[in-house]
Amino acid sequence: MPRTQKPLLLPTTLLLLLFTVAISCKKETKPTTIKKDLTAINKLLEKGHELFTKQEFDSSYYYYNKARNEAELVQDTSRIIHALAWMSELQTNKGDYTGSENTSVEALPYLGNKHKFLFGETNIYIGLGNNYLLTLDNDKAIYYFKKAINSKTDETTKAAMFSNISIACNEKKEFNKAIETLIPLLKIKETDITTQAYTNILSNLGHAYDKTNNPQALYYLNKAYQIRKKTKDNWGIIGSCDHLATYFQFKNKPLSKEYALEGYQISNEIKHIDPNTKLEFLKHLIHASTGIQTKKYSTLYITLNDSITKARLHAKNSFAKIKYDSKKEKEENIRLKEQKAANLLQLEIQKTKTEGLYLLILVLLIATAFIYYYLRVKNRREKIKASYITEIQIAKKLHDELANDVYQMMKFAETQDLSTADNKALLLQNIDTIYARTRNISKENGNIETGTHFKQQLKDMMADFNTSSTSILSSGIENIEWYTIEDTKKITLYRVIQELLVNMKKHSKSTVAVVSLQMEKDNLLLHYSDNGIGIKTKPVFKKNGLQNIENRIEQVKGTIVYDLTSQKGIKIRIQFPV
């Protein structure tokens, strides 16, 4: 199973922050069982930890980064956090503090799912706190150490974080606040926390007392030093040597030099220790030495400082390259997977399109057949209906206009002496009138010529309404380009004018009717007026038989306006698009 980090325990001073992370204990725990197959990711995590224990940090970083990328693909957030925490620690060990901070920040969005690896959340906060402390951003360091304390962690970690907060307070020159932070920790039983955490508290408290010239300083510094010597805690001894060298710096230079030399020698024996540790001890030795020894230690300091700068730049570039190469590899894998998926999708789409095309053709054929059948049936019905309506109209006209005249003529023939010239002439006149009315009915319901003869047929129709007592005047007919107008619109115009004149003849008692036509953009305008009895309300007009006019105009999406303000006669304005 992949190992889970134990919280990173920071050292007693800022100096020890530079190397304690490198040896912080790792605690092995079992992650929560989930259904995904995470075998490959777990093996990468194990390999990363194995290389870390061998202090092959670049290779360890490579495997943790690879594990992180694989975990992202399956969206296993707990393993993403776990890998990022290790990567951040490795960067800190190499002095790449900015890179370590960026790596820790990458984990923050995933902390909502933090319980599958113990201490995952805590390690991220500690990593951020470490980096802010190492880059002297002490307020942010304190903020993240407090978040680590409030996370789900153990008493040792909490004690270590309070100790780290005291370091940040010392760096801010807030020594009393550092003391206030540490004193409550003395009440913790030694059995409840690790010896390392306990000695850190003692050493840090002694250092804070030293900064405030408190005489208890040496007691706590010596106590921490003796416990560390007894337990052979070389890392802790290095921290105590730094604090004691600082304590005796102005009080007893030979003793300060003795502690500095001890710390420097131990730091040289530890492999992969942060070289800044050695720099701190070289500073003490330079301050405590004289003559040729001062020059010796100064030369060592300059040489080591130059090598640190180069090493950090190399480490930063190395980690950046690993991340870049891994990112490129990840992007290439994703691209290949997407391309494969796109090809499969394209094949599926093509198959679906083909099937859809066949289905569409079938549907269109069925729809075409249905529409053809429907239109035929509809056309047949409309023809039958139109014939029926025409028959009714003709029957009505024959009954209303001819039946009474024929009856009167028959009665006249039966009762009058037809041998006389006057009676014979009167009978012939009645027959001629009936014939004329029959011809008008035929014209009203006959076919309308919509071709080149339409204009003349329209004029003839209006002329038929001229009588000795009624004159029909027209204008604008010659100005219309009739070939540009649809046949249905011509028929509508013809029937509308015809019905207007029929109603004029039946109801208006007018002597003059005027029909005017004109084009206005894409609309045909019809103005009708007469000098008859007029109307007062629109419903009356409808009762006079002109409802058909409105129906026809509505069918061609036109408008009709009645002028009811005229004192005599009527004015109508009709407009429809052509």
Side-chain angles (χ1 to χ4, degrees), residues 380-398:
R380 189 181 303 117
R381 288 177 179 173
E382 287 179 350
K383 285 183 178 179
I384 293 172
K385 183 178 179 181
S387 299
Y388 176 70
I389 292 172
T390 302
E391 289 173 358
I392 292 174
Q393 290 176 342
I394 293 172
K396 187 173 184 302
K397 287 180 177 293
L398 289 173

Side-chain angles (χ1 to χ4, degrees), residues 132-172:
Y132 287 128
L133 194 55
L134 290 166
T135 54
L136 304 180
D137 194 344
N138 296 298
D139 289 330
K140 283 187 178 179
I142 293 171
Y143 171 78
Y144 280 104
F145 288 142
K146 286 182 177 179
K147 287 186 76 70
I149 291 170
N150 293 327
S151 65
K152 188 177 181 180
T153 187
D154 56 28
E155 290 303 317
T156 294
T157 304
K158 290 180 180 180
M161 291 306 100
F162 279 117
S163 188
N164 290 346
I165 290 172
S166 75
I167 296 173
C169 291
N170 280 335
E171 289 300 311
K172 294 173 67 178

Side-chain angles (χ1 to χ4, degrees), residues 17 31 52 78 94 203 238 243 251 305 374 445-446 548 564:
L17 277 168
F52 179 87
S78 64
K94 285 288 191 175
S203 189
I238 290 173
H243 279 168
K251 298 179 180 68
N305 190 53
Y374 172 77
N445 295 280
N548 286 338
L564 305 178

Side-chain angles (χ1 to χ4, degrees), residues 107-124:
L108 294 180
Y110 299 107
L111 293 185
N113 186 8
K114 61 201 176 193
H115 301 300
K116 293 182 180 179
F117 279 90
L118 298 179
F119 305 119
E121 177 187 22
T122 307
N123 288 336
I124 294 299

Side-chain angles (χ1 to χ4, degrees), residues 12 15 33 120 151 180 220 228 272 291 349 361 378 407 441 469 497 524 546:
T12 57
L15 163 68
T33 303
S151 65
E180 291 171 3
Y220 287 107
R228 285 166 170 170
H272 293 297
I349 290 173
I361 292 173
K378 182 181 179 183
Y407 173 77
I441 293 171
S469 59
I497 294 175
L524 180 60
L546 293 182

